[in-house]
Amino acid sequence: MRRNLSIVAAVATVLAHGPAAAEPTLATAAVAAAAGEASPAVAPQESVKAPETLTKGASEAPAPAAAPTSPAAPAAGAAESALAAKPAPPPPPATTLKVSVDLSSQRLTVTEHGKVKHSWPISSGVAGFRTPTGNYRPQWAAKMWYSKKYDDAPMPHSVFFHDGFAIHATYATGRLGRPASHGCVRLSPANAQTFYKLVHKHGFAHTRISIKGTPRDSAPAVAQKPPTPGYATAYATTSKPRPGAGYGYASGPKHYPGYKAYAGPKYSYTQKPYIGSGGLGSLFD
């Protein structure tokens, strides 16, 4: 009976802790059976246990050390995420109204949807007040504006494209076709009104103004004439003297052959004071 209990304890140990832990129990039971002695019953909870270190090594393997992470890795990832999340900028608005100003020919050409619609004479800035060249878009407009810089001069239908420079109407239509302004581009009143309506029809964002060329100021209408030579200058260039050219006493016989010089005695005037009692003789004392 006791031998059977020892075998049962050994089997329970095998089931709980494996064959290695049951070897001492089986050995003890075998020895007791051979000697005919009863072996004490071994409770399953009192069976021989494996060393703690071996048990931990078998059941709990040490976790591998985590690889060190670079501090720059999260920042790079965040930057890439931000770039990926940022939407692309919208494309620029299409240009449907193009305005070309040629300062050399003093003309303004309007192209609408790729087709030339108008070509008008202009007046640009004179010397010292030249119209700026470059590519611009309208900044603001006024149906009626008065210049704050030039004595409140009227500027009807003004479309400002750069600082204080504008395309506007002028009442001096006789000066169109040549430089005549302080830097603005002038149009006739009717053409300026048409241009003003076109800009508002297409919108500032869809209008482009291109200014190029070199203005040529008009030459004077009458060329300066050389001064008319004087009387003395005209006769000084002749080789032969003319009648009446000289004023001396001796000039007579040279030009008038029939004239005879005075052959009498010559007298000279003295600056002596008048003395004597009178008569002709006192003049020559």
Side-chain angles (χ1 to χ4, degrees):
M1 184 67 179
R2 291 183 177 179
R3 184 180 64 180
N4 293 335
L5 293 175
S6 299
I7 293 172
V8 171
V11 171
T13 304
V14 169
L15 294 176
H17 304 284
E23 288 180 359
T25 305
L26 293 175
T28 303
V31 172
E37 299 179 354
S39 59
V42 180
Q45 63 272 17
E46 296 178 358
S47 62
V48 180
K49 296 181 180 180
E52 186 177 357
T53 55
L54 295 177
T55 304
K56 288 185 177 180
S59 60
E60 300 177 6
T69 57
S70 174
E80 292 176 359
S81 301
L83 290 176
K86 185 177 180 181
T95 301
T96 57
L97 185 66
K98 294 182 179 180
V99 183
S100 177
V101 179
D102 191 345
L103 301 179
S104 301
S105 61
Q106 293 289 293
R107 295 198 73 83
L108 184 148
T109 304
V110 178
T111 303
E112 187 178 15
H113 297 293
K115 296 182 179 180
V116 177
K117 293 294 184 179
H118 305 284
S119 181
W120 300 316
I122 64 166
S123 286
S124 65
V126 297
F129 301 92
R130 293 301 191 194
T131 303
T133 58
N135 297 318
Y136 309 96
R137 293 192 184 275
Q139 296 177 343
W140 60 284
K143 191 172 183 179
M144 188 63 193
W145 187 256
Y146 294 92
S147 175
K148 304 301 182 183
K149 188 175 182 180
Y150 299 108
D151 301 327
D152 290 334
M155 301 167 61
H157 296 102
S158 296
V159 177
F160 290 85
F161 59 88
H162 176 66
D163 294 337
F165 297 96
I167 301 174
H168 64 85
T170 180
Y171 300 116
T173 56
R175 306 185 70 180
L176 293 173
R178 63 181 186 271
S181 74
H182 284 91
C184 290
V185 178
R186 297 178 178 179
L187 290 169
S188 67
N191 295 339
Q193 184 177 7
T194 302
F195 176 74
Y196 184 85
K197 291 180 178 179
L198 283 173
V199 171
H200 282 79
K201 173 185 174 182
H202 290 264
F204 293 174
H206 299 278
T207 303
R208 182 180 180 183
I209 300 173
S210 175
I211 304 177
K212 61 182 180 179
T214 303
R216 295 186 294 269
D217 294 304
S218 57
V222 179
Q224 186 178 3
K225 296 181 179 180
T228 304
Y231 180 83
T233 306
Y235 292 105
T237 57
T238 58
S239 57
K240 297 181 179 180
R242 296 184 179 182
Y247 298 95
Y249 177 80
S251 62
K254 295 181 180 180
H255 308 295
Y256 301 99
Y259 179 83
K260 295 182 179 180
Y262 176 73
K266 295 181 179 181
Y267 302 98
S268 61
Y269 173 75
T270 62
Q271 296 183 358
K272 294 181 179 181
Y274 178 77
I275 56 175
S277 58
L280 293 176
S282 62
L283 296 176
F284 307 104
D285 291 343

